Amino acid sequence: MNWGIFEGLLSGVNKYSTAFGRIWLSLVFIFRVLVYLVTAERVWSDDHKDFDCDTRQPGCSNVCFDEFLPVSHVRLWALQLILVTCPSLLVVMHVAYREAREKKHQKAAGKNGGRLYPDPGKKRGRLWWTYVCSLVFKAGVDAAFLHVFHSFYLRYTLPRMVRCHVAPCPNTVDCFISKPTEKNIFTLFMVITAVVCIVLNLVELAYLVSKRCRECLLARKARATGLGHRRNWATSSSKQDDLRLGDLIFLGSDAPPPLLPDHPRDHVKKTIL
């Protein structure tokens, strides 16, 4: 597998990730992919050859090795890294699809035809759901592989010696694993980095969901405020209309105003005197 091409494809994820996503990507490539390529393959390269059992029975060593080491750590880690990084590629592909669709729309409608996506790389609409689902999938894959490792190797560690009594072994034989301490150190390191990646995925998921909820609440408040201003404006305009209508009715009536006297001329004379 050409890991250089794989890393080049995933480097585009930085453009569309949050700060937590960039930290996750750096952690995956520095502490998981590089450690896997540089050290893990060499440490586990001689696991079958140096698995020694104190018997000369043909086939006994192979059967005991398959009994206690059913799946190689290196192959499990390779499958785990592929499944964990594939959702990030789906996000990049979704953004590329939106950009291609935007170009087709611009060619068909012209410059004055508007835009389908103001920013194709911005996490809105279906792209937001794609990104959220990728976070859930990555955390689920890491958690599932941690469970698989724990079910195969208790406490994620290898013993120095195992006792095997599986056919065709003539009796219970003692088998010795090659470099168990070094393998345990790298296994625990990969487990810890996987746990940190799960935490980063959950933190990023909580950040995106909380940000979306906050935006929805602000949008609802803005709508409620706009409706309140409209209602107040409608109420004040109706009151002004009522006042104007009352003035028109009052001006159109034959009765004199109640505050004025019945005979204004007498009133003027009294005030002059």
Side-chain angles (χ1 to χ4, degrees):
M1 180 181 293
N2 194 339
W3 290 98
I5 297 175
F6 199 57
E7 183 179 0
L9 290 174
L10 288 177
S11 62
V13 181
N14 281 326
K15 300 178 183 178
Y16 318 115
S17 300
T18 62
F20 300 104
R22 296 186 182 96
I23 295 173
W24 176 87
L25 191 63
S26 302
L27 183 65
V28 166
F29 277 101
I30 295 175
F31 294 101
R32 296 179 74 173
V33 174
L34 290 181
V35 170
Y36 171 83
L37 294 175
V38 174
T39 58
E41 287 185 337
R42 296 180 181 179
V43 171
W44 270 269
S45 61
D46 57 351
D47 53 353
H48 192 192
K49 182 178 65 176
D50 294 340
F51 186 81
D52 296 329
C53 297
D54 57 353
T55 182
R56 296 292 182 178
Q57 180 68 26
C60 181
S61 297
N62 293 333
V63 172
C64 291
F65 182 83
D66 183 70
E67 178 72 17
F68 292 100
L69 300 170
V71 183
S72 174
H73 288 66
V74 176
R75 293 177 178 87
L76 275 178
W77 282 330
L79 182 60
Q80 181 181 3
L81 291 174
I82 291 172
L83 292 178
V84 162
T85 51
C86 278
S88 299
L89 291 178
L90 291 178
V91 174
V92 176
M93 292 172 63
H94 195 166
V95 175
Y97 165 75
R98 297 179 75 174
E99 290 176 349
R101 191 179 176 188
E102 181 66 30
K103 289 181 181 178
K104 290 182 179 179
H105 176 74
Q106 292 294 330
K107 290 181 180 179
K111 296 183 179 180
N112 298 326
R115 296 176 62 90
L116 290 176
Y117 309 101
D119 186 1
K122 195 171 184 179
K123 291 180 284 296
R124 288 291 184 273
R126 294 180 181 179
L127 182 60
W128 187 87
W129 285 105
T130 302
Y131 196 88
V132 169
C133 291
S134 69
L135 293 176
V136 175
F137 184 81
K138 289 187 289 188
V141 167
D142 277 333
F145 272 90
L146 287 178
H147 175 71
V148 170
F149 271 106
H150 188 269
S151 62
F152 285 158
Y153 313 104
L154 188 62
R155 297 179 182 177
Y156 306 105
T157 56
L158 296 174
R160 296 178 180 274
M161 182 189 69
V162 294
R163 293 183 179 274
C164 178
H165 51 84
V166 183
C169 297
N171 50 22
T172 302
V173 296
D174 296 334
C175 298
F176 301 91
I177 299 174
S178 172
K179 297 182 285 188
T181 303
E182 187 177 11
K183 291 178 179 178
N184 289 334
I185 291 173
F186 281 105
T187 301
L188 292 177
F189 179 82
M190 296 296 281
V191 168
I192 292 172
T193 53
V195 171
V196 174
C197 287
I198 292 174
V199 173
L200 286 174
N201 287 328
L202 295 178
V203 170
E204 187 176 8
L205 180 63
Y207 168 75
L208 290 175
V209 173
S210 62
K211 183 180 179 181
R212 187 65 179 271
C213 293
R214 185 168 61 251
E215 289 176 355
C216 292
L217 290 175
L218 291 175
R220 288 184 180 180
K221 287 182 180 179
R223 291 176 185 174
T225 305
L227 289 175
H229 286 309
R230 290 180 182 177
R231 289 176 182 175
N232 294 332
W233 180 80
T235 305
S236 61
S237 62
S238 62
K239 288 181 179 180
Q240 291 177 1
D241 293 339
D242 293 339
L243 290 173
R244 292 173 183 174
L245 183 60
D247 293 340
L248 291 174
I249 294 172
F250 180 76
L251 292 172
S253 62
D254 297 332
L259 296 177
L260 293 177
D262 294 338
H263 302 284
R265 294 180 179 177
D266 297 339
H267 179 72
V268 173
K269 290 180 181 179
K270 289 179 180 179
T271 53
I272 293 173
L273 295 172

